[in-house]
Amino acid sequence: LPPAEVPMIALRGCTPLSGSTRRFVVDLGQQNLGSGHVEWEIGLELANGANAGASARYQIVPSDGLCAQWLTLSRTHGKLDTHVRHAVTVRASTDALATLSTYLSLYNLDCPRDVSIVRVTLEVVADAAAAAHCYAVFVEGANAADAQGGAADRLMAEGAGAGGGGGVGGG
């Protein structure tokens, strides 16, 4: 096909960045540690105006190999035809406390100028019940026994801890 007639690939299910038609974000938000996998579906289809019988081959490539530890894709390549939509499921693990981010590059193999970038982010956090056991704050000058209840609680009650947090588990 002549360059003007080569179909472009459109993405659905991602948030476009302001002012861009080729950069997108999938924010999987905050998820509790060990809560299983988080899934998100991205739809791929030929852009409006593609001629009947048009097609486009594509490939999705993560920006780094390390994301394979926490992110999988249901498909990484294929061929789109007119009026056919491919669903790509992004599946992220919540097995480790971390702030995770990667970029996925979507290449239209039949039109080199058609490249889209999707940033995928996920923050894995400790749930509220477990958070109290993740850290401890000790007050200078207090012994460990006092910091686990007595002195730290008295300091908070007297207003000495007005900056927030204090004692074991954030007080």
Side-chain angles (χ1 to χ4, degrees):
L1 294 174
E5 296 181 31
V6 174
M8 303 287 276
I9 298 175
L11 282 80
R12 304 285 180 248
C14 321
T15 304
L17 288 178
S18 179
S20 177
T21 59
R22 304 280 54 168
R23 294 182 302 155
F24 301 86
V25 174
V26 171
D27 183 356
L28 300 174
Q30 287 188 345
Q31 304 295 327
N32 286 335
L33 176 67
S35 62
H37 288 88
V38 181
E39 293 187 352
W40 190 269
E41 184 176 292
I42 299 173
L44 306 178
E45 59 192 26
L46 296 182
N48 290 339
N51 296 328
S55 65
R57 296 172 300 128
Y58 67 88
Q59 183 173 12
I60 302 171
V61 180
S63 63
D64 62 81
L66 294 176
C67 73
Q69 296 173 2
W70 63 275
L71 186 81
T72 57
L73 302 172
S74 62
R75 65 170 67 206
T76 57
H77 61 279
K79 182 178 178 181
L80 293 168
D81 295 310
T82 310
H83 307 298
V84 174
R85 181 177 192 235
H86 285 193
V88 177
T89 302
V90 175
R91 188 170 193 234
S93 170
T94 62
D95 290 343
L97 284 174
T99 299
L100 305 164
S101 178
T102 194
Y103 292 89
L104 303 175
S105 299
L106 169 66
Y107 297 100
N108 180 338
L109 300 176
D110 297 316
C111 181
R113 65 185 166 92
D114 182 15
V115 177
S116 296
I117 306 295
V118 179
R119 181 177 184 206
V120 179
T121 60
L122 169 65
E123 185 175 4
V124 182
V125 298
D127 65 18
H133 304 289
C134 291
Y135 68 95
V137 176
F138 294 97
V139 178
E140 185 176 336
N143 67 37
D146 287 340
Q148 290 192 9
D153 290 339
R154 283 191 300 279
L155 285 173
M156 290 300 292
E158 295 170 4
V168 174

